[in-house]
Amino acid sequence: LVPLVVGTVPPVAFLTSLQVTGSTPTPYELTMKTVAILALAGSAAAFAPAQTGARSSMALSADLSKELGAMTPLGFFDPLQLCKDGSKAKFDLLRERELKHGRVSMLAVAGYLTTAAGIRFPGAEDIPDGLAAFPALQSTSDGMMVLYQMAAFFVMAEICNRDASEVTGVKPDFVGDYRNGALDFGWDKLDDETKLKKRTIELNNGRAAMMGIWGLVTHEIMGVSILPGGYLPGH
């Protein structure tokens, strides 16, 4: 059950789209469809609100309609009533996951389109784009080393990109602020209005990217191009 309040792709539409190719799928296509479905299920579990026990039951109700991201024309859009109790703690948990998934999706869209444009690292010129890159990397020892490095990077990114106020003593300014007193790039010099505008831009771009990467991957699996010139990655 994916909360629509955080701007993800409706799962029914996604799963239905995987069944309309009109031809007998190859073993590779079946494998990639299975991976996509499992990934969707995993993302749904990641977005599900955690049980917080007595602390959440004692939380005061908050006016979530004034939170960042509640914008026209829908305003505060929560059709699954995940935050119907007005729990600010639950909302912040969902918002943090929305931001994280949005940030990852923005990188994913950028990487997908970059490789589709033919851009490669030196030595990787023969690696195909799209989902076909994974079996190609698995077929060689050098490719496996690349996959191991990717996995190590993901682990390190997950460790570093979190609230570390218990260690640094620096409290985040807002949910998703992972600077931890180490990174700034001029953020602290901005006025409150500019900060709010930039946070809104990041949130909306992340929402669009979550839908975008699912759309790109779904159409690749279906064998239907949505890129200029009819180009279809992975084929």
Side-chain angles (χ1 to χ4, degrees), residues 17-220:
S17 67
L18 295 179
Q19 309 299 324
V20 297
T21 57
S23 60
T24 302
T26 65
Y28 169 71
E29 290 174 332
L30 287 173
T31 300
M32 295 318 300
K33 289 179 181 180
T34 302
V35 170
I37 293 172
L38 291 176
L40 180 62
S43 67
F47 278 106
Q51 299 295 326
T52 56
R55 182 177 61 180
S56 63
S57 65
M58 296 174 61
L60 297 177
S61 297
D63 184 4
L64 302 179
S65 64
K66 297 181 180 180
E67 290 290 334
L68 178 73
M71 307 174 64
T72 55
L74 297 178
F76 180 69
F77 185 64
D78 184 16
L80 299 184
Q81 301 294 302
L82 295 175
C83 296
K84 63 180 180 179
D85 58 355
S87 170
K88 187 66 166 62
K90 184 189 297 183
F91 178 86
D92 287 346
L93 181 64
L94 291 171
R95 171 51 52 80
E96 183 176 17
R97 290 172 176 175
E98 178 184 21
L99 284 170
K100 180 178 290 187
H101 282 73
R103 290 164 179 173
V104 172
S105 296
M106 285 188 278
L107 291 172
V109 170
Y112 191 97
L113 296 180
T114 297
T115 54
I119 300 174
R120 299 288 189 279
F121 284 112
E125 292 82 2
D126 296 332
I127 302 297
D129 50 15
L131 298 177
F134 291 101
L137 289 172
Q138 293 173 353
S139 64
T140 66
S141 58
D142 288 343
M144 288 301 299
M145 285 301 300
V146 172
L147 291 177
Y148 292 146
Q149 292 173 26
M150 288 174 59
F153 171 78
F154 294 152
V155 171
M156 291 301 299
E158 182 66 21
I159 293 174
C160 296
N161 289 280
R162 62 178 60 247
D163 175 14
S165 56
E166 302 89 351
V167 178
T168 64
V170 179
K171 293 185 178 181
D173 288 346
F174 50 87
V175 175
D177 177 12
Y178 298 147
R179 293 175 298 152
N180 295 311
L183 298 175
D184 189 325
F185 301 113
W187 177 263
D188 288 334
K189 298 179 181 179
L190 301 176
D191 58 71
D192 292 341
E193 182 179 356
T194 303
K195 288 181 179 180
L196 183 62
K197 178 180 179 181
K198 289 184 177 295
R199 288 176 58 200
T200 303
I201 291 173
E202 179 193 27
L203 183 63
N204 286 335
N205 284 347
R207 289 170 171 173
M210 284 189 279
M211 293 186 288
I213 192 59
W214 274 120
L216 289 168
V217 170
T218 300
H219 282 80
E220 179 183 338

